[in-house]
């Protein structure tokens, strides 16, 4: 796919999707496989190598531990979808069902408000069929004896459908199967959007071509607001830098390490027999240029490594194997998705602002947006709480479990 044509085959499309990474390809796949949709789909991707997209820099994990029931249901759908990927991709024998390396997420609480929030969320999660367990300090010391727990009151640990999975494989099959179903991908950048007060009429490409479209989908990740502004719109989504380190421990643990979310926000998980993956955000967390992937090396020495070595004293000696910076498409209102049409420009659709949990939400969100485009309403899972109307009203979605 790195040698895409720069020239669309047609001058008019029923749906134009701006951005061909995980979200854009999910929408394209769901649309192209919907019996309710027979139209022509174009995906416009500015970087066909996908080396700078959020999908390429993800840590590729899934969790059920959210504070809002809708987010739990979305992740439950993804877990079942990927574990039955071959059937979902039409029984293609080339497609492998994906597994989840179930080391689980472990949230650590160091205050009563945080502990109470974990307790309340665990009741809700288990009521929906998730397997989350509250662990006392004694439980944590027994099952995970490598933690330093002096400041910890309790933990919340997921024991099913939480951990690592191969998000890249799902992205690849969404894209390949969309193309096989007739979706056209082109290597171009949208440089202009013509719209009336009620609808988008056409898009201009960097190649100089102008295309008319019936529906326009903004799947531009960290560049989402730039795309919205081309149509005279605005959404509170900006690129925020997130850092990842893969390290080797001089003294590896003899237990598998859950994805541990320290109260500081630093998180660490098992990555291999003797390697571990660590993630963190910068101290001041400003918006950055979407092309800025500069690594802040001082963050490791002054902030991240001291926190990790304090929480897990056995990790006092770590060697960095590799490191990288990626971007969250960060929704500054509430760190949750914006999904669905604009309230006035009704054929301009958002699938933006996932703020770090987009990969695990892509199957359900792509399906939901395809349902809206083809039938005008959600058919399977009511995703309307993520609609644009809350953005216009400055009404945050209530999810608090944001990493």
């Amino acid at each position: 796919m790195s040698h895409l044509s720069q020239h669309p085959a047609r001058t008019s499309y029923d749906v134009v999707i701006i951005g061909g990474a995980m979200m854009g390809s999910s929408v394209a796949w769901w649309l192209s496989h919907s019996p309710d949709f027979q139209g022509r789909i174009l995906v416009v991707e500015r970087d066909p190598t996908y080396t700078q997209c959020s999908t390429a820099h993800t840590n590729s994990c899934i969790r059920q531990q959210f504070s809002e029931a809708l987010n739990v249901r979305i992740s439950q759908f993804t877990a079942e979808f990927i574990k039955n990927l071959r059937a979902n991709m039409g029984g293609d024998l080339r497609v492998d069902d994906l597994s989840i390396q179930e080391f689980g997420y472990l949230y650590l609480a160091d205050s009563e408000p945080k502990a109470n929030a974990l307790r309340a969320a665990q009741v809700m999660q288990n009521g929906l069929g998730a397997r989350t367990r509250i662990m006392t300090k004694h439980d944590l010391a027994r099952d995970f004896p490598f933690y330093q727990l002096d400041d910890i009151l309790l933990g919340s640990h997921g024991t099913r459908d939480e951990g690592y999975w191969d998000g890249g494989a799902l992205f690849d099959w969404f894209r390949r199967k969309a193309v096989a179903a007739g979706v056209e991908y082109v290597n171009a950048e949208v440089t202009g959007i013509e719209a009336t007060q009620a609808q988008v009429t056409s898009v201009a490409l960097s190649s100089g071509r102008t295309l008319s479209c019936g529906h326009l989908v903004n799947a531009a990740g960290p560049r989402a607001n730039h795309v919205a502004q081309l149509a005279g719109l605005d959404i509170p989504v900006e690129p925020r830098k997130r850092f990842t380190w893969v390290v080797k421990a001089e003294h590896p643990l003899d237990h598998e390490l859950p994805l541990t979310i320290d109260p500081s926000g630093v998180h660490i998980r098992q990555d291999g027999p003797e390697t571990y993956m660590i993630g963190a955000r910068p101290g001041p967390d400003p918006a950055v240029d979407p092309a800025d992937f500069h690594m802040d090396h001082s963050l490791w020495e002054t902030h991240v490594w001291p926190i990790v070595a304090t929480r897990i004293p056995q990790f006092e000696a770590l060697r960095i194997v590799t490191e990288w910076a990626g971007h969250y498409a960060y929704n500054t209102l509430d760190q949750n998705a914006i999904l669905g049409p604009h309230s006035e420009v009704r054929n301009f659709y958002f699938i933006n602002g996932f703020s770090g949990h987009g990969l695990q939400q892509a199957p359900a969100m792509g399906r939901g947006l395809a349902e809206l485009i083809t039938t005008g309403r959600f058919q399977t899972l009511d995703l309307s709480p993520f609609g644009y109307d809350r953005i216009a009203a400055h009404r945050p979605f209530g999810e608090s479990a944001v990493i």
Side-chain angles (χ1 to χ4, degrees), residues 238-242 282-289 292 327-328 330 332:
E238 59 189 33
R240 295 278 186 96
K241 197 178 285 188
R242 294 295 180 266
D285 189 18
V288 299
D289 187 282
D292 175 11
H327 295 143
Y328 274 10
Y330 191 87
T332 61

Side-chain angles (χ1 to χ4, degrees), residues 295-307:
M295 195 73 189
D296 180 0
H297 298 287
S298 67
L299 186 65
W300 171 261
E301 292 291 340
T302 63
H303 179 67
V304 176
W305 175 78
I307 288 172

Side-chain angles (χ1 to χ4, degrees), residues 137-158:
K137 183 181 290 193
H138 172 78
D139 297 331
L140 291 167
R142 179 196 64 219
D143 291 359
F144 308 112
F146 42 80
Y147 291 126
Q148 186 283 115
L149 298 169
D150 290 349
D151 59 330
I152 298 303
L153 301 182
L154 56 79
S156 179
H157 182 226

Side-chain angles (χ1 to χ4, degrees), residues 87-103:
N88 289 320
M89 293 288 158
D92 188 332
L93 295 179
R94 297 173 300 168
V95 180
D96 292 325
D97 292 329
L98 302 180
S99 61
I100 299 172
Q101 184 183 351
E102 294 180 326
F103 45 67

Side-chain angles (χ1 to χ4, degrees), residues 236-237 330-336 390-397:
V237 176
Y330 191 87
N331 179 349
T332 61
L333 176 66
D334 58 17
Q335 295 82 65
N336 276 266
R390 88 179 194 282
I391 305 299
H394 301 281
R395 186 180 67 250
F397 183 72

Side-chain angles (χ1 to χ4, degrees), residues 329-350:
Y330 191 87
N331 179 349
T332 61
L333 176 66
D334 58 17
Q335 295 82 65
N336 276 266
I338 307 169
L339 186 79
H342 188 268
S343 53
E344 296 176 359
V345 186
R346 298 298 296 176
N347 66 340
F348 188 107
Y349 293 84
F350 302 98

